[in-house]
Amino acid sequence: MVAVKNPQYWDAANVHVDRVEYYPVEDPAEELKRYRAGDLDITNTVPNDQVPFIKATLAAEYHTAPWLGVYYLGFNQSRPPFKDNLKLREALTLAIDRDTLVDKVAIAGYIAAKGWIPPGIEGYPNAAGPWYGLSKEEREAKARADYKEAGYGPDHPLQVDLLYNTNENNKKVMIAIAGMWKQLLGVQTQLSNQEFKTMLDVRREKKTTEVFRAGYIAFYQDPGPLLDVLRPSNPRNDLGYDSSTYEALYKAGAEALDPAARLAGLAKAEEQALTDLPIAPIYHYAAQHLIKPYVKGWQPSPLDNFRSQDMEIVK
């Protein structure tokens, strides 16, 4: 996709880039390859497993900053095995070692999720999931107990399909999570991957999905959009999650006129979601870009938004 400078723009004299070419690249490794070959000036992301190499060889060109979003697994509560089975959802959520995923698999500046809402929203009292604050031993013991209470065990292991969109970074994380479930609980996980648009269509139908990978980025610096996506009225709620308690808490918080009361009320809604666990938050994003030294004017943003009209090429 090619964008060209509009000579009729009111501030055209201060727009220094005449032309921008956008390339759709699905594989981060291919993107890195093109960048190193000089075909790209800025990357959209980087391959997670190449971050140590990038830091060692391209440190001055590697830029990362907190990004207001959450990477998570969604449980389809419209059908078995997760419909009306909180203990099973909790067992799989507790069995995920988020610190290991961030330190050993993602290794990309991500933050292990404490709850659903990412940190950094001023004045918001972030809630915490049932895994937070537990030692590794406590978390694993509770996961085993929940798994057994949910009706599963060595003689009756859970067989589950884990869906993700085709991407090498996602693949590595999904393989690691499946391994954690297998080692701790004996879960037999079938990994399925689809092109992103196809996966979204399948998720919306809620007919075949069981567990799926998802990510959500806030539209602006506020917990509202991320909490709204868990409401049944939201078209992006692919979870089949429909809680009258959650809905009441969300509305009470969202409609509060006092800003502090509003944030406190929305935090109660987050607490309810982390009690019901239609989602298993994994980590909060960090935006990552490789940017050539001759590209000037780029500034980090919590939403990872930046305008090419603010940048220039100084070769």
Side-chain angles (χ1 to χ4, degrees):
M1 184 174 71
V2 178
V4 296
K5 177 179 174 179
N6 179 5
Q8 303 302 319
Y9 179 58
W10 71 272
D11 196 27
N14 292 314
V15 177
H16 301 291
V17 177
D18 294 319
R19 174 187 176 95
V20 182
E21 297 179 356
Y22 298 90
Y23 294 90
V25 183
E26 189 172 77
D27 183 2
E30 176 66 21
E31 197 175 9
L32 175 60
K33 180 180 177 182
R34 292 193 187 188
Y35 179 86
R36 296 183 68 202
D39 296 334
L40 299 175
D41 296 319
I42 302 178
T43 66
N44 183 57
T45 186
V46 301
N48 289 347
D49 59 352
Q50 293 296 311
V51 170
F53 166 78
I54 290 169
K55 288 181 176 179
T57 61
L58 297 166
E61 299 170 42
Y62 178 58
H63 301 268
T64 182
W67 193 12
L68 286 178
V70 60
Y71 185 107
Y72 66 99
L73 298 184
F75 299 109
N76 184 0
Q77 296 181 65
S78 300
R79 56 190 297 269
F82 298 108
K83 183 179 181 179
D84 301 324
N85 200 335
L86 171 60
K87 289 299 180 180
L88 182 59
R89 300 195 300 273
E90 186 173 67
L92 296 193
T93 300
L94 288 166
I96 298 171
D97 187 341
R98 290 156 178 79
D99 292 327
T100 294
L101 287 176
V102 167
D103 295 339
K104 305 296 184 183
V105 182
I107 53 173
Y110 298 148
I111 302 170
K114 168 186 173 182
W116 175 244
I117 303 299
I121 298 176
E122 185 176 356
Y124 182 73
N126 291 75
W131 63 89
Y132 186 75
L134 297 179
S135 67
K136 185 175 186 292
E137 293 74 19
E138 291 171 333
R139 178 175 52 77
E140 292 181 350
K142 184 168 177 53
R144 292 191 189 97
D146 285 342
Y147 189 65
K148 181 178 180 181
E149 190 173 343
Y152 296 92
D155 298 329
H156 178 48
L158 172 68
Q159 298 183 29
V160 69
D161 184 84
L162 176 54
L163 175 67
Y164 66 96
N165 55 295
T166 306
N167 175 287
E168 281 301 310
N169 288 350
N170 290 336
K171 181 179 179 179
K172 290 179 172 64
V173 174
M174 295 303 106
I175 289 174
I177 290 175
M180 292 172 182
W181 288 348
K182 174 68 174 178
Q183 182 177 4
L184 183 62
L185 303 175
V187 175
Q188 299 175 5
T189 305
Q190 173 66 43
L191 294 177
S192 303
N193 66 291
Q194 296 174 343
E195 186 271 332
F196 187 59
K197 185 178 183 302
T198 301
M199 185 193 73
L200 292 180
D201 292 339
V202 170
R203 276 170 36 182
R204 290 189 190 103
E205 292 175 354
K206 304 183 187 70
K207 294 180 180 179
T208 60
T209 53
E210 294 181 342
V211 191
F212 55 84
R213 187 215 78 85
Y216 200 81
I217 307 297
F219 301 134
Y220 46 90
Q221 289 181 267
D222 188 85
L226 280 159
L227 292 168
D228 186 81
V229 78
L230 301 179
R231 303 173 68 198
S233 58
N234 192 302
R236 298 194 183 196
N237 181 347
D238 303 330
L239 309 158
Y241 178 54
D242 186 355
S243 165
S244 58
T245 303
Y246 178 85
E247 181 71 6
L249 289 170
Y250 176 88
K251 284 186 175 181
E255 294 173 3
L257 298 181
D258 177 72
R262 175 180 176 274
L263 292 177
L266 290 176
K268 291 181 180 178
E270 183 188 7
E271 289 176 5
Q272 186 62 45
L274 293 171
T275 298
D276 297 337
L277 291 176
I279 37 82
I282 307 300
Y283 54 70
H284 298 299
Y285 287 106
Q288 302 177 93
H289 303 284
L290 283 168
I291 303 176
K292 294 292 188 182
Y294 50 76
V295 177
K296 305 298 182 182
W298 179 84
Q299 292 292 332
S301 159
L303 301 180
D304 198 32
N305 292 336
F306 51 91
R307 307 186 305 176
S308 57
Q309 73 182 69
D310 297 329
M311 301 160 73
E312 60 181 312
I313 303 296
V314 183
K315 288 195 175 181

